[in-house]
């Protein structure tokens, strides 16, 4: 059974950092494109970042460029999202998702993703 589990969320002050992990089980995570999404209360789910299955292509939402970094840890079957310089507007539930797109593609469109984790809460507040 394919499963994704997010971890690493929590409460952090503005300007702080968190590292989110997306651990895959039941399949090799490096076979799939992985995306990170977030959804704040009363708002639509939005794409944050994605990484192709070969790791060679990444995309970021404009609001997180230069602050967030997505990467693969294939040895641990995990995809990471390093978040720095966090702002209150980054407060959301963060989800990771997987889809097969071939080796070089990624997209931050939620509708194309097939497998989803349960989410982890990130709160940025003083």
């Amino acid at each position: 059974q394919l499963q994704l589990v997010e971890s690493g969320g929590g409460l952090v002050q503005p300007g702080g950092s968190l590292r989110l992990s997306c651990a895959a089980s039941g399949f090799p995570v490096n076979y799939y494109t992985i995306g990170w999404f977030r959804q704040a209360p009363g708002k639509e789910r939005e794409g944050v970042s994605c990484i192709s299955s070969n790791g060679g292509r990444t995309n970021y939402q404009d609001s997180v460029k230069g602050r967030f970094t997505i990467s693969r840890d294939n040895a641990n079957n995990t995809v990471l999202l390093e978040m720095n310089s966090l702002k209150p507007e980054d407060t959301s539930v963060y989800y990771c998702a997987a889809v097969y797109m071939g080796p070089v593609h990624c997209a931050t469109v939620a509708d194309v993703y097939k497998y989803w984790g349960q989410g982890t809460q990130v709160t940025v507040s003083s």
Side-chain angles (χ1 to χ4, degrees), residues 45-56:
R45 186 170 297 187
E46 61 177 0
V48 175
S49 182
C50 64
I51 186 166
S52 61
S53 64
N54 68 1

Side-chain angles (χ1 to χ4, degrees), residues 56-113:
R57 181 172 181 173
T58 58
N59 283 337
Y60 297 92
Q61 183 195 96
D62 286 346
S63 69
V64 307
K65 284 180 180 178
R67 300 188 298 123
F68 290 12
T69 303
I70 191 170
S71 62
R72 288 187 175 275
D73 179 0
N74 292 332
N76 291 301
N77 214 33
T78 297
V79 172
L80 305 173
L81 184 68
E82 189 78 34
M83 305 188 298
N84 298 314
S85 302
L86 283 162
K87 304 175 181 180
E89 51 264 42
D90 294 318
T91 296
S92 284
V93 178
Y94 283 71
Y95 302 88
C96 65
V99 66
Y100 178 73
M101 285 188 180
V104 301
H105 300 292
C106 81
T108 51
V109 178
D111 288 347
V112 306
Y113 283 80

